[in-house]
Structures are given as C-alpha cells and as structure tokens.
C-alpha cells in the first residue's frame, strides 16, 4: 500500500573530533528555505565538533581518521530526497538531514527560472507500495588515491533502463557563455545570433568536437516558453547547419521552462534535430526535484536526447540507470573565476580537493579549457575576458583528471585557433574510459591520474601553488614493451 516516510535517522559517529572536509549549502535566490542551494561551495577543513551548527552540508564528506580517510556518500536516490549533513549538537556525529516534500512552490529566482519552495510538508517522501530506498555509503581507505578512482556510487545504482544505448554519444562541447561569445576578427557582430552559433559549429567541425551548446539567451526571458526564440536566432537554420557538419546542438533551459512540459519540449526539439538539453537552476534535491530529474531523463531517452544537469544536486548513480544523463554540475567550477566569488577561496586548492570528494559521486561538469592562464598575483575576475588561475597545462590536465562524459571547451574559438597545438590535444581527448588508475596524490595538494581509452593512456598531473616534483610509477599501467610518450608541459616562466 502507499505510505509516507516521516523522516530517516542516519548518523555517522566518529567518536573523536577528527577533521573533515565539508562543503556547506550556499543559499541562492532565497534565504527562507534552508534546503535551497546550487550545490556549489568550497570545502572547509574543520573538526567534526566545530561544524557550523546553523548550516547544512552536502555529500560527499571526507573525514580524516588518523590518516585513514572515511567518505560519506549515498547512491540510488529515487523517489526520495538527497541526504544533507549537519551537526547541531557539537558532538562527533555527522547527522543526515532530509528536505521535506514541498507543499507550495512558486516561480521566482534568477530570471524566474527557479522553483521557490515557500512551504513544506511534515514528511520527506511519499511512496507507492513496494519501494527501494537509497544506499548509505561509508568508503574507508588508508590510501586516499583510491577515492579518486572509486565508482562505488555508480555501481550501487539501479541498472540501465534504456533498452538500446547505441545512440547515446558522449563527447566534448564548444561553449559560448564562459567566454562571453568572445569572437574577434569575424565579419559579423558576435553575440546571441545565428552567425555566431554557425561560427561555433564550424569551429567544432574543424577540430572534431561533437557538440555546440546554446546557453542562456536564445529563448525569450521570463516567459519560460522554449518555443519563443529571440528574433536574432534562426534555431532551425542553426540546427540544420550543425547537423550537416556532423555537430550536435544542445540547448540550455531553465527548470521552470521544462517542468510540467517534459514531453512537449523533448518531442518538439527532437523533431527539429536537437541532440539534448542542459537543464539549469534546479537548486534542490527534495523528493519532488529528484522525481523531476528521473522523469525528464526517461522522456529524453524516449526521444533520444542527452541531458546535462546544472545548478543541480550531486549525482547518486542516475547516470547508470539513465545513461543519456551524461553530466552533472554540482561543483564550484571554472565559471566562478569570472566573478569576485573566486577571491573568497583558494580555487587552485579546491581543484585538487574535488577529485577525492565530489568526483566520487559521479561525473562533474567543471567546464575547463581556459586559454588565458595566469599566476596568483596576476589574476583578477573579469566577466568579458575571463581567465583561469594556474597554467595552461593545468587546464589541459583536467581533461584526464576530471570525469566528464560531456566535457566543455569553455573558451573562445578565437583563442583556441591561436593555441592550435593545445586545442588539437583537447579535442582529441576521450570523454569515456576503459580503465582508470590514480597514480599519486594527496587531497588538496596534488593529483596524478591515468585513464585508458583503447590502447592509449592519458596521464594528467596538477599541483597547488607549491612547486613540487612528482615521480610516477608507470609500471602500474604499462606492461612489457616499448612505448611512445607525447608530453605537454608548461614553460619555465609559467609561474611568474
């Protein structure tokens, strides 16, 4: 019979004030709902009993138990809310907390794209008869490298529900939002218009990049109607041009523009020849929002569309159940470098924490690939001419280190053409792998990852601002025989 889940008790008692890496909710759009967050926040390294009692954190969380690492995560969250972590009592226990089901949701937030919950029920889930509840995971290891290659969250999720997966095509995406449609030297005015997107398509075809994304701005603002395209865009012409070049078009869409219209939206744009959607501003993981994600994934699969969730909860294995969901954000990615938020935390250290924590949950759309790269003292936030902290090779190494089956090339075709040697390698990077080995690393300090696609191994290494030499034992991945290595490294003055 149908039943209601009032609450769940999930408590991880570590017995002592061990330090943990924890990422708090970042309240976005409203401060009235403590469960409303974009799931993008830096990590604090703090004793368990000093966790901010007024705030919630999201998983995965890693606890440093005298050198042994214990990671708290979850998998197979369906028809149920995701688990937050809190510590209201100042003890040594990480307590699970779950968002109640919304009782009332209104349109609001950024450009009226978000569903703002103004009232919640007194229960966390409503179940229809026999139900399968999420896994609670505690990964324990004395070798933190193993966290960076763990796929336990994926393995514990329900098996694939797509009967024929041959049409599902992971790949790379040329993206315009981060570089602010930053084309130069072209005979047209760059911006949200047909000429600009056809140029991006031609760039993608030139380098063998599988997709181009049309981010926010192609549809009329505030209407939440994706059929109302701005007059500067001839969407059918863009899609036809891309398909003629062997490039797929992915459309950005806000939550409110899709919710309740999943079938209509997917059918309309699939018939036009669109290949998928980047759906943004979900900002919750209560049971209602989780249901929305699964419903959209199923309907999108019916119309052979891929999905990239942004402003979304961390993955909990949905990409196994619905493999047309290629990627999830839920990470403080490169887009933060455009604004002043990047001045409030150490971006370079954060980049070396997420392989051991956030990436354990599943794919992450960090949106790497910046071609303007600067040292710490030369960095400043800039919206129209954005830059990354760290070196060029650091950005390139991310394609080997971060698992991202739909992987963005965030910068302008103008800069990629100027740096063609780097662009060629990035464009050739696989986005799915036959084998992954974490060669070396320490949380927040450095990471060295090796991933194999076919007969070729790709090795990426990133460090923090500290200069270091890392010796890699390639016997872990290579057998007997002779090998040829192609090496990309930064210039001798890259740290100046």
């Amino acid at each position: 019979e149908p039943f209601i889940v009032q609450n769940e008790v999930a408590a991880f008692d570590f017995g002592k004030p061990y330090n943990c890496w924890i990422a708090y909710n970042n309240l976005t759009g409203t401060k009235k709902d403590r469960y409303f967050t974009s799931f993008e926040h830096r990590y604090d390294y703090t004793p368990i009993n000093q966790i901010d009692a007024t705030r919630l954190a999201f998983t995965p969380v890693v606890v440093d138990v005298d050198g042994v690492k214990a990671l708290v995560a979850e998998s197979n969250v369906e028809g149920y809310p995701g688990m937050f972590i809190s510590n209201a009592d100042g003890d040594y226990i990480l307590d699970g907390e779950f968002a109640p089901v919304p009782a009332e949701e209104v349109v609001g937030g950024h450009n009226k794209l978000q569903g703002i919950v103004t009232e919640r029920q007194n229960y966390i889930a409503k179940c229809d008869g026999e139900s399968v509840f999420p896994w609670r995971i505690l990964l324990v290891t004395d070798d933190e490298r193993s966290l960076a290659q763990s796929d336990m969250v994926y393995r514990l999720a329900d098996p694939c529900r797509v009967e024929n997966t041959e049409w599902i095509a992971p790949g790379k995406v040329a993206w315009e939002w981060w570089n602010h449609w930053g084309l130069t030297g072209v005979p047209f005015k760059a911006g949200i218009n047909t000429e600009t997107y056809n140029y991006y398509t031609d760039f993608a075809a030139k380098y063998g990049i599988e997709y181009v994304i049309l981010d926010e701005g192609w549809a009329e603002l505030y209407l939440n109607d994706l059929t109302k395209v701005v007059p500067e865009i001839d969407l059918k012409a863009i899609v036809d041009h891309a398909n003629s070049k062997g490039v797929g078009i992915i459309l950005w869409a806000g939550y409110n523009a899709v919710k309740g219209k999943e079938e209509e939206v997917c059918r309309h744009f699939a018939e036009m020849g669109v290949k998928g959607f980047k759906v943004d501003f979900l900002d919750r993981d209560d049971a209602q929002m989780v249901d929305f994600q699964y419903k959209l994934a199923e309907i999108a699969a019916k119309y052979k569309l891929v999905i990239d969730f942004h402003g979304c909860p961390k993955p909990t294995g949905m990409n196994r159940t619905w493999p047309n969901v290629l990627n999830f954000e839920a990470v403080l990615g490169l887009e933060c470098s455009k604004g002043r938020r990047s001045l409030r935390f150490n971006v370079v250290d954060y980049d070396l924490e997420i392989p051991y924590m956030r990436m354990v949950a599943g794919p992450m759309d960090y949106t790497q690939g910046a071609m303007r790269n600067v040292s710490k003292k030369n960095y400043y936030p800039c919206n129209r001419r954005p830059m990354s902290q760290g070196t060029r090779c650091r950005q390139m190494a991310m394609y080997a280190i971060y698992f991202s089956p739909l992987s963005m090339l965030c910068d302008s075709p103008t800069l990629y053409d100027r740096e063609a040697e780097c662009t060629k390698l990035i464009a050739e990077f696989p986005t799915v792998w036959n084998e992954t080995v974490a060669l070396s690393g320490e949380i927040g300090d450095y990471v060295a990852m090796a991933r194999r696609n076919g007969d070729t191994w790709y090795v990426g290494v990133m460090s923090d601002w500290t200069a270091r030499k890392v010796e890699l034992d390639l016997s872990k991945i290579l057998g007997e025989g002779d090998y040829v290595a192609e090496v990309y490294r930064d210039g001798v003055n890259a740290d100046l």
Side-chain angles (χ1 to χ4, degrees), residues 205-479:
K206 174 182 175 181
Y207 287 100
I209 297 165
E210 292 84 353
Y211 296 100
V212 167
I213 191 164
L214 276 65
D215 213 284
E216 185 176 13
W218 66 270
E220 294 282 0
L221 289 178
Y222 311 119
L223 300 180
N224 285 316
D225 183 349
L226 297 179
T227 65
K228 306 298 184 184
V229 181
V230 297
E232 297 83 4
I233 290 283
D234 185 336
L235 187 56
K236 185 66 166 62
I238 291 171
V239 172
D240 288 346
H241 178 71
N243 287 338
S244 73
K245 297 275 188 172
V247 175
I249 293 294
I250 293 176
L251 299 177
W252 181 94
Y255 163 70
N256 281 328
V258 179
K259 180 199 170 191
K261 298 169 277 190
E262 295 90 347
E263 185 90 29
E264 171 191 339
V265 166
C266 288
R267 180 178 61 250
H268 174 79
F269 288 101
E271 289 174 352
M272 186 183 293
V274 169
K275 302 302 181 185
F277 285 96
K278 173 182 174 181
V279 184
D280 207 343
F281 290 108
L282 280 63
D283 297 306
R284 310 189 326 255
D285 68 346
D286 49 47
Q288 182 186 88
M289 185 58 73
V290 171
D291 286 344
F292 165 78
Q293 289 183 276
Y294 272 86
K295 179 180 180 180
L296 178 59
E298 181 176 7
I299 294 174
K302 173 182 173 181
Y303 291 99
K304 297 185 176 180
L305 296 169
V306 298
I307 297 292
D308 177 14
F309 283 119
H310 262 239
C312 64
K314 83 285 177 187
T316 59
M318 181 193 298
N319 51 307
R320 182 186 184 198
T321 310
W322 294 104
N324 58 311
V325 180
L326 294 180
N327 219 344
F328 303 79
E329 190 181 26
V331 67
L332 195 56
L334 192 67
E335 68 178 49
C336 79
S337 67
K338 285 166 66 82
R340 300 190 65 82
R341 179 167 52 161
S342 61
L343 299 176
R344 298 196 293 268
F345 73 103
N346 190 326
V347 174
V348 167
D349 283 359
Y350 176 82
D351 294 347
L352 294 161
E353 293 166 339
I354 53 178
Y356 304 93
M357 288 178 273
R358 164 61 183 85
M359 199 165 70
V360 179
M364 57 184 191
D365 197 0
Y366 184 90
T367 65
Q368 65 270 20
M371 291 290 108
R372 291 190 186 98
N373 319 102
V374 298
S375 60
K376 184 192 301 187
K377 63 184 178 182
N378 290 326
Y379 169 77
Y380 62 94
C382 183
N383 184 56
R384 291 179 177 268
R385 294 174 61 84
M387 64 195 75
S388 73
Q389 297 185 46
T391 67
R392 173 77 49 76
C393 282
R394 178 188 183 84
Q395 289 290 306
M396 296 166 68
M398 289 178 178
Y399 289 93
I401 294 168
Y402 295 161
F403 179 48
S404 185
L406 193 67
S407 190
M408 301 283 178
L409 279 77
C410 70
D411 223 323
S412 164
T414 301
L415 297 183
Y416 283 128
D417 281 336
R418 188 180 302 164
E419 307 291 348
E421 185 178 39
C422 300
T423 305
K424 184 175 182 295
L425 176 66
I426 292 172
E428 291 173 354
F429 256 97
T431 58
V432 291
W433 308 95
N434 301 111
E435 189 176 356
T436 295
V437 177
L439 294 172
S440 186
E442 296 178 10
I443 298 175
D445 292 337
Y446 75 100
V447 62
M449 294 283 288
R451 297 187 188 271
R452 179 177 62 83
N453 183 282
D455 295 328
T456 303
W457 283 94
Y458 295 78
V459 179
V461 185
M462 292 196 308
S463 175
D464 58 11
W465 291 116
T466 303
R468 68 181 79 237
K469 290 185 179 180
V470 178
E471 185 173 312
L472 302 180
D473 182 3
L474 297 185
S475 67
K476 296 178 180 179
I477 61 174
L478 302 179

Side-chain angles (χ1 to χ4, degrees), residues 44-65:
D44 284 352
Y45 187 63
T46 185
I48 292 176
N49 61 333
Q50 293 181 26
I51 290 174
D52 188 340
T54 67
R55 303 176 72 182
L56 295 176
F58 47 88
T59 61
V61 172
V62 173
V63 182
D64 192 351
V65 186

Side-chain angles (χ1 to χ4, degrees), residues 3-10 74-84 97-101 123-127 131-136 284-294 313-314 316 318:
F3 63 94
I4 283 174
V5 179
Q6 294 287 163
N7 205 354
E8 175 185 340
V9 175
E74 60 180 341
S75 179
N76 211 41
V77 179
E78 182 176 3
Y80 204 82
M83 180 175 67
F84 290 105
E97 184 168 334
F98 305 87
V101 171
Y123 57 87
I124 65 172
K126 194 178 225 181
C127 303
S131 298
V132 175
F133 294 106
W135 288 92
R136 305 284 166 241
R284 310 189 326 255
D285 68 346
D286 49 47
Q288 182 186 88
M289 185 58 73
V290 171
D291 286 344
F292 165 78
Q293 289 183 276
Y294 272 86
K314 83 285 177 187
T316 59
M318 181 193 298

Side-chain angles (χ1 to χ4, degrees), residues 106-123:
V106 299
V107 173
H110 176 75
N111 290 340
K112 297 186 177 180
L113 295 170
Q114 294 162 299
I116 308 299
V117 176
T118 57
E119 186 178 347
R120 291 188 178 273
Q121 306 282 6
N122 61 354
Y123 57 87

